[in-house]
Amino acid sequence: MEHYNMNLTLKVWRQKNKEDKGGFQTFQVKDISSEMSFLEMLDILNEQLINEGKDAIAFDHDCREGICGTCSLYINGKPHGEWKGNTTCQLHMRAFKDGETITIEPWRANAFPVIKDLVVDRSSFDRIIQAGGYVSVNTGNAMDGNCLPIDKNRADDSFAAAMCIGCGACVAACKNSSAMLFVSAKVSHLALLPQGEPEKRSRVMNMIAQMDKEGFGACTNTGACEATCPKEISLSNISRLNKEYLFASLTADK
Amino acid sequence: MTWKEVFTSSVGKKLVMSFTGIFLILFLVVHVGLNACIWANDGGTMFNAGAHFMGNNVVPRILEIGLFVGLLLHIIQGIMLELSNRSKRNVKYAIDYGNQGSKWYSRSMGLLGTLILIFLVIHLADFWIPNRAHQGFLLGEEINLYEKMKLEFSELWVVIVYTLGCLSLGYHLAHGFQSAFRTIGVHNKRYNLMLTSLGYGFSVVVTFAFIMMPWSFFLHIIQ
C-alpha cells in the first residue's frame, strides 16, 4: 500500500481525575505518516503538547505488540478502532484518511472508572481473577508433553479461550457493560484442562459473584463483545460458563 | 451456594428469563396451532370446538395458571434486568457502537418486550377476559370466539395494531429463541447454528401466521 501523510483533527476526552466531570478537547496533528501506529500518533501529539507547556494526554500502553492487553481507547465508536481482531497499539494510521476527524474516548463502564483522560481503572478484572481464575494446587514443573493425554479439540478450545488478554474491550462494547466474555474465557480456559477441572464448579460461582459485586451488567448474548474482541474470543465460551454455572448450582451442597 | 444466591446472581436472573422464555415459546406453538383452525373455513366450528376445550378442560386450565406465573416472572425479571443493565454505564459514549457488532433487535429486547406487553394488555382485554368471564363465572352463554374475531378484525386500525404487536413479538423471538438456549448452556457450535436457524425460522413462521389471522378476516379470505 502506498505511503501517505495526513493532517487530522482529534477529539479527545480529557478528565483531570476521577472526580472531574471531563469533556472533549479538539487537537490538530500534521504530517502523520500512514505507517505510524495509532499510539505513535498520540506520542507525537503529546510531544507537541509538552513543547507548548501543556499537560500530556494520559493513555494506557505497555508492550505495543498486541499481546499485553494494556492499551484501550474507544476510537470512532469502536473499542480498539475499526480493524477486526486488533488492539489499539496494532492499529495503524493507514486506517484513516487525510482530513479525517477521530473521536477518542476511554472505556465507559461504572466498573471501569476513569483515572485520568483515557486511562481507566481495570483492577475489577484483577479481583475477578483473584476470586477463582487460577488452579490452587501446585502442579510442579511442566511435564513431558505426552504424559497427560488431552483431547486435541479440548486443548485447542482451551488455548483459544486463554488468548484473552483482559483488555476490557468486551465490557466497553457491551450495552450492559457486562464482563461475561472475559470471565467466560477464564472459566473455559481452566475448566477444559485436567488441571483446572476439579475446581470448575467453585471457580465459576466465585468469579460470577465477584463480577456482580464489581458492578458489571448481565449478558444478553448480543454478540457485540465477540465482534470487537482483539483476540476474537468466541461467544460460545459464555454459553459454556452458563452450563458450568447451572451444573454448579444444581450440584451445590447447600 | 444457596438457591437465593443463584437466582439473585446475574447468570441466575438470565436463567429465569431463559426457562420462562422457552416455556412461553411452547405456549406460542399451542396458540398459533389452535388459532390456525380458523383457516378450516368452516364458519368457526373447528376453532370454537378447540376454544371450548381449552376453556373447559382441567389440564389446559391448570397449565394456564403456570402460563401466567411464567409470563409474570418473565416480565418482572425482564424489567428489573433491563433497568439494572442500563444503570451500569452512567457516562455514555459520544459515538455509539451501534450495529457494528450486534443486531438492533438483540439490543432492544427491553423495548420490544414493552411493546409486546402493551399489545398483550389490549389482546387480553379483547378476547381472553370477556371469554373467560363468560366461561368461568357463567355470565350468560359462552362467547362465540370466531364471531368475536370477525367483529374485532373488521376494523382496519385493530388489524394494524395486531400486525405491529406480532412484529414486535417476531423480532423479540428472533433474538430470544437462540439466546435462551445459549443462557442454559448450549455451547456446541453445531447446536448453536441449528438453534439460531430454528429460531429465525420459528420467528418468521409464527409471526407470519399470527399476522395473517386478522388480515384473513379483514380481507374476507375466510368467512
Side-chain angles (χ1 to χ4, degrees):
Chain A
M1 192 187 234
E2 205 179 318
H3 167 262
Y4 58 98
N5 282 357
M6 64 193 101
N7 299 332
L8 299 162
T9 306
L10 304 175
K11 272 180 72 185
V12 184
W13 183 264
R14 302 302 305 267
Q15 187 173 331
K16 281 198 183 85
N17 49 47
K18 256 184 192 179
E19 287 72 37
D20 184 27
K21 214 169 158 247
F24 282 101
Q25 271 181 25
T26 307
F27 303 95
Q28 307 291 333
V29 281
K30 289 199 171 82
D31 292 328
I32 298 295
S33 160
S34 58
E35 300 312 304
M36 262 179 204
S37 78
F38 195 83
L39 295 185
E40 282 168 338
M41 182 274 294
L42 284 180
D43 291 338
I44 286 178
L45 172 62
N46 271 345
E47 272 182 33
Q48 201 176 297
L49 289 174
I50 291 164
N51 287 338
E52 289 168 9
K54 292 177 185 159
D55 195 15
I57 299 163
F59 62 88
D60 266 330
H61 61 102
D62 191 18
C63 74
R64 298 205 180 196
E65 289 178 342
I67 55 169
C68 75
T70 311
C71 60
S72 53
L73 305 187
Y74 188 86
I75 302 159
N76 281 347
K78 190 176 175 296
H80 292 299
E82 68 167 312
W83 284 357
K84 204 173 152 32
N86 193 65
T87 54
T88 293
C89 64
Q90 293 303 301
L91 177 68
H92 281 66
M93 295 313 292
R94 54 184 175 272
F96 303 94
K97 292 185 203 81
D98 185 32
E100 210 173 310
T101 299
I102 307 172
T103 306
I104 312 169
E105 300 174 73
W107 284 175
R108 296 283 190 208
N110 297 355
F112 286 165
V114 173
I115 299 171
K116 190 180 180 195
D117 298 337
L118 303 168
V119 178
V120 297
D121 179 359
R122 284 174 279 185
S123 56
S124 46
F125 268 17
D126 299 337
R127 290 187 290 274
I128 293 175
I129 294 292
Q130 283 165 12
Y134 50 80
V135 174
S136 55
V137 288
N138 187 349
T139 55
N141 289 333
M143 279 200 279
D144 204 42
N146 295 324
C147 275
L148 194 61
I150 301 170
D151 178 75
K152 176 76 167 82
N153 293 327
R154 280 178 86 85
D156 285 351
D157 285 347
S158 173
F159 187 75
M163 292 277 283
C164 170
I165 50 175
C167 65
C170 45
V171 176
C174 175
K175 78 174 184 69
N176 309 325
S177 308
S178 175
M180 279 285 270
L181 194 67
F182 165 75
V183 180
S184 71
K186 302 301 168 191
V187 164
S188 294
H189 141 220
L190 293 168
L192 286 165
L193 294 180
Q195 293 92 337
E197 208 269 341
E199 288 173 292
K200 65 179 183 180
R201 301 272 149 86
S202 59
R203 177 181 303 115
V204 70
M205 288 193 265
N206 294 338
M207 288 180 87
I208 288 296
Q210 190 63 34
M211 182 190 91
D212 292 345
K213 209 165 122 191
E214 296 292 345
F216 293 102
C219 172
T220 48
N221 297 317
T222 65
C225 53
E226 184 187 40
T228 203
C229 176
K231 297 298 161 188
E232 300 182 311
I233 302 292
S234 167
L235 199 63
S236 62
N237 287 308
I238 295 184
S239 310
R240 187 181 287 107
L241 178 149
N242 290 331
K243 185 196 81 176
E244 298 293 354
Y245 193 86
L246 186 58
F247 275 98
S249 55
L250 290 174
T251 54
D253 284 339
K254 49 173 186 172
Chain B
M1 190 164 55
T2 61
W3 287 117
K4 193 184 164 201
E5 282 167 330
V6 173
F7 288 111
T8 51
S9 74
S10 58
V11 179
K13 286 176 191 168
K14 289 296 301 174
L15 281 171
V16 172
M17 292 307 287
S18 156
F19 284 127
T20 53
I22 292 171
F23 180 57
L24 294 173
I25 285 170
L26 290 173
F27 158 72
L28 284 177
V29 176
V30 176
H31 191 8
V32 79
L34 205 70
N35 279 28
C37 294
I38 60 168
W39 288 310
N41 211 0
D42 56 359
T45 315
M46 191 193 277
F47 174 76
N48 279 337
H52 177 79
F53 169 78
M54 293 302 277
N56 291 282
N57 189 288
V58 68
V59 178
R61 293 308 292 264
I62 292 169
L63 283 174
E64 193 175 57
I65 298 167
L67 175 67
F68 273 95
V69 172
L71 189 64
L72 280 174
L73 271 173
H74 196 79
I75 293 167
I76 295 165
Q77 188 72 281
I79 292 171
M80 297 209 348
L81 260 174
E82 180 73 16
L83 293 178
S84 158
N85 284 341
R86 278 173 188 244
S87 72
K88 305 297 184 191
R89 180 173 289 139
N90 291 344
V91 184
K92 308 283 177 231
Y93 288 112
I95 301 180
D96 195 56
Y97 186 42
N99 288 327
Q100 291 180 84
S102 55
K103 304 274 195 307
W104 70 267
Y105 49 84
S106 73
R107 300 193 307 276
S108 316
M109 292 299 273
L111 173 71
L112 290 166
T114 310
L115 291 175
I116 297 167
L117 180 60
I118 295 168
F119 167 70
L120 212 56
V121 172
I122 299 171
H123 180 50
L124 290 181
D126 274 349
F127 295 103
W128 187 83
I129 294 173
N131 185 40
R132 285 288 182 272
H134 280 76
Q135 285 172 332
F137 306 108
L138 301 170
L139 302 173
E141 280 183 27
E142 196 172 353
I143 292 178
N144 183 335
L145 268 184
Y146 188 81
E147 290 302 320
K148 176 105 176 109
M149 275 175 98
K150 208 190 257 183
L151 187 71
E152 289 284 340
F153 299 139
S154 60
E155 299 263 4
L156 181 63
W157 72 269
V158 178
V159 175
I160 289 171
V161 166
Y162 271 72
T163 306
L164 294 176
C166 293
L167 277 177
S168 308
L169 176 69
Y171 279 110
H172 197 76
L173 284 171
H175 177 68
F177 191 101
Q178 52 113 354
S179 179
F181 287 98
R182 283 180 181 277
T183 301
I184 55 171
V186 181
H187 61 82
N188 320 52
K189 281 197 180 72
R190 57 147 52 153
Y191 293 122
N192 274 337
L193 187 68
M194 199 169 85
L195 288 166
T196 307
S197 315
L198 194 66
Y200 285 133
F202 183 83
S203 320
V204 171
V205 170
V206 167
T207 307
F208 181 73
F210 274 134
I211 288 176
M212 279 318 288
M213 287 166 194
W215 284 104
S216 295
F217 282 107
F218 186 74
L219 299 173
H220 301 292
I221 296 168
I222 46 175
Q223 299 308 314

